[in-house]
Amino acid sequence: MTTTTSPPVAPPRPGLPRPVTALLDTTAATRILSDAGLVITRAEPHYLRHKPGETTIVGYRFATPDLATPALGYAHWCASATRAGEVHAKALTLHPRPSAVGVSVVRVDDHTVFYGFPNDARLRRLRWLTTPRKLKRVFAALAPADGEISKERSVSTVLKYKPERRLVTRVDLATADGPVQSLLVRYTTGRDAPRLAAIAEALRANGVSTPRPRLQLDDGRVGVDDFIDGVELRTWLVHRESVADQLAESLHGFHSTAVPARTPVRTETDDGTNAVNGLSALALWDRDLARMAQGLSEELARRRPASVGPTGLIHGDLHDKNILIDHGRPWFIDLERTAVGSPASDLGRLRAHAISLDIRQPGWSPGAVAHAEDVIAAYRSRSGRVSASIDDASLAWHCAVALVDQALLVVRHVEAGWQANATALLDAATDALR
């Protein structure tokens, strides 16, 4: 075990232990993890999950001397040194695999354990989904009748990784001389893949465009769909024409789809509780955010809509990166938060993400807010009970809830300028309610 002394860093954020602050500072983290044996030139924090008084997960992208692309890994900090010892001992029983940063699993100090990708305390099959020579066995069921999957030509590309929670990869399966199958693979700690496949099939049967489910593996923890090589809505709007009418029509079809069995229900009470919890987490980071969070929590509770009116199948995380445009046709992806709920939730979230894009990446997609409003107007102009039931107050409340989520995302992803952006997002949430 290597014990290190943290180099000086910026003053600790309220509510976060000083060692966690060090792990979130690029310079300090690079020094700490290099001293622990990692062969890196830079440790860039990009993900945070903090449970006060217990544990913190900090995900990193690493620059290394030999790799052109970033290497991955994460630090697991425990308030209790005893608990950290238990975490480390458990990790060693899982037969750690080589990583791109020179160590597999290492006890950084008395309270911190580091995992180099593809080692993970809970997502224990990462290497099977990210190592090309393993893909032939994992996806054997998708091999064509006249050939077998090539270990040499098949590729897995990590798209998203949340330590101990979720992996999303693009897998391109190739045969020796045949066509390539492009797949989107999701691996989570839950067993939701069969339920999500059933939702996708119901949507497709109702004429809604969403990727075709192909396989469910590892007792439902791994879902495999066709990969749709479309353009994200935010990018489409930079150079292309509006798809407001098409998106409103597709979203109306989504909300009117017959609800499959075992689809969870999500109410305004659920959304309000999640927002208050998110505001409590934000309060740990900055005193000004803490003051804003208190007032916004009270305002959200006071203005929460009654859980009345028509409900339907909602996407649950509708935003401009979960909508792909392929030849002018909207496709809905990432159905993990799909539920039975108020359609105002999807529309409010679409509006919130457009506002967030304008705050976090100004100039990237200057028409995003106007386009979101065009989608909402086109949706509400349609005949039907669901469309007519969406009032301005409900839309505003759901937009404010989603803006709180965006502020929390800014912090968790340790974005540059997080203080200013999180403050602006909470201001926008307050303005939405007014």
Side-chain angles (χ1 to χ4, degrees):
M1 180 180 72
T2 301
T3 302
T4 63
T5 301
S6 300
V9 294
R13 299 172 177 91
L16 291 180
R18 184 173 290 274
V20 172
T21 303
L23 292 170
L24 288 169
D25 180 89
T26 296
T27 301
T30 302
R31 177 80 60 81
I32 292 168
L33 296 174
S34 294
D35 288 349
L38 276 69
V39 183
I40 58 175
T41 57
R42 182 179 175 86
E44 190 69 47
H46 74 96
Y47 175 76
L48 170 76
R49 190 166 71 249
H50 178 65
K51 188 178 291 185
E54 297 184 36
T55 61
T56 302
I57 300 290
V58 181
Y60 296 94
R61 296 187 184 98
F62 296 106
T64 66
D66 301 322
L67 295 179
T69 56
L72 300 172
Y74 71 97
H76 185 142
W77 181 87
C78 301
S80 163
T82 301
R83 176 58 182 153
E86 294 169 351
V87 168
H88 185 237
K90 178 65 174 178
L92 295 180
T93 68
L94 300 177
H95 308 292
R97 304 293 172 175
S99 81
V101 294
V103 299
S104 302
V105 174
V106 66
R107 185 87 177 266
V108 175
D109 56 37
D110 288 344
H111 293 264
T112 310
V113 179
F114 174 80
Y115 294 79
F117 190 90
N119 299 286
D120 188 291
R122 300 187 67 193
L123 299 173
R124 298 175 184 175
R125 293 180 61 82
L126 286 182
R127 68 189 183 94
W128 288 89
L129 301 172
T130 58
T131 306
R133 64 187 181 85
K134 299 289 185 183
L135 300 179
K136 178 179 178 179
R137 187 185 305 180
V138 173
F139 298 104
L142 297 179
D146 57 348
E148 62 178 26
I149 296 168
S150 167
K151 293 186 292 186
E152 291 74 22
R153 295 184 61 226
S154 297
V155 178
S156 178
T157 305
V158 175
L159 303 178
K160 185 179 294 186
Y161 174 49
K162 293 183 177 181
E164 300 186 11
R165 287 281 180 91
R166 183 177 185 234
L167 171 80
V168 181
T169 67
R170 172 177 174 164
V171 172
D172 293 301
L173 291 182
T175 57
D177 51 10
V180 174
Q181 297 184 66
S182 294
L183 308 170
L184 187 76
V185 181
R186 284 191 184 83
Y187 175 28
T188 68
T189 55
R191 295 181 172 89
D192 287 336
R195 178 178 64 82
L196 297 178
I199 290 171
E201 293 292 8
L203 289 167
R204 290 168 61 83
N206 198 39
V208 179
S209 298
T210 195
R212 175 180 54 146
R214 301 293 300 277
L215 286 176
Q216 294 84 55
L217 306 169
D218 196 24
D219 198 22
R221 295 180 182 87
V222 177
V224 183
D225 302 334
D226 284 337
F227 183 88
I228 303 301
D229 196 19
V231 179
E232 290 179 351
L233 178 61
R234 64 168 60 186
T235 303
W236 178 274
L237 294 178
V238 175
H239 304 294
R240 309 291 181 87
E241 69 278 5
S242 168
V243 288
D245 289 338
Q246 300 94 313
L247 182 51
E249 181 179 0
S250 295
L251 191 56
H252 203 275
F254 197 117
H255 293 159
S256 64
T257 296
V259 178
R262 299 192 304 118
T263 301
V265 175
R266 203 166 98 191
T267 67
E268 279 77 2
T269 299
D270 298 325
D271 284 339
T273 299
N274 289 337
V276 169
N277 290 340
L279 288 166
S280 296
L282 284 170
L284 296 170
W285 281 75
D286 182 89
R287 290 183 178 87
D288 290 335
L289 287 178
R291 286 192 290 270
M292 296 178 71
Q294 179 61 37
L296 189 51
S297 292
E298 295 170 358
E299 194 72 8
L300 284 170
R302 184 161 51 248
R303 295 178 180 268
R304 188 180 73 202
S307 297
V308 296
T311 60
L313 186 68
I314 63 171
H315 185 283
D317 192 22
L318 190 70
H319 59 76
D320 49 22
K321 294 181 74 174
N322 282 341
I323 301 167
L324 301 181
I325 309 300
D326 186 33
H327 296 93
R329 179 183 180 187
W331 289 71
F332 297 104
I333 63 171
D334 195 356
L335 304 178
E336 291 183 5
R337 297 186 187 179
T338 303
V340 177
S342 168
S345 173
D346 277 347
L347 294 174
R349 192 163 292 271
L350 186 68
R351 173 187 284 171
H353 276 265
I355 294 170
S356 175
L357 183 61
D358 202 38
I359 291 171
R360 295 164 65 193
Q361 295 176 281
W364 169 260
S365 191
V369 173
H371 188 267
E373 295 305 320
D374 288 345
V375 174
I376 292 169
Y379 183 98
R380 295 174 77 180
S381 70
R382 293 182 166 276
S383 60
R385 247 175 15 108
V386 173
S387 305
S389 71
I390 300 175
D391 60 272
D392 291 340
S394 180
L395 268 173
W397 187 86
H398 282 288
C399 175
V401 164
L403 284 165
V404 171
D405 287 347
Q406 285 292 288
L408 189 58
L409 188 70
V410 164
V411 171
R412 282 183 171 166
H413 287 189
V414 202
E415 291 184 4
W418 63 265
Q419 296 102 323
N421 286 345
T423 299
L425 287 163
L426 294 189
D427 276 337
T430 302
D431 289 344
L433 290 174
R434 290 173 181 165

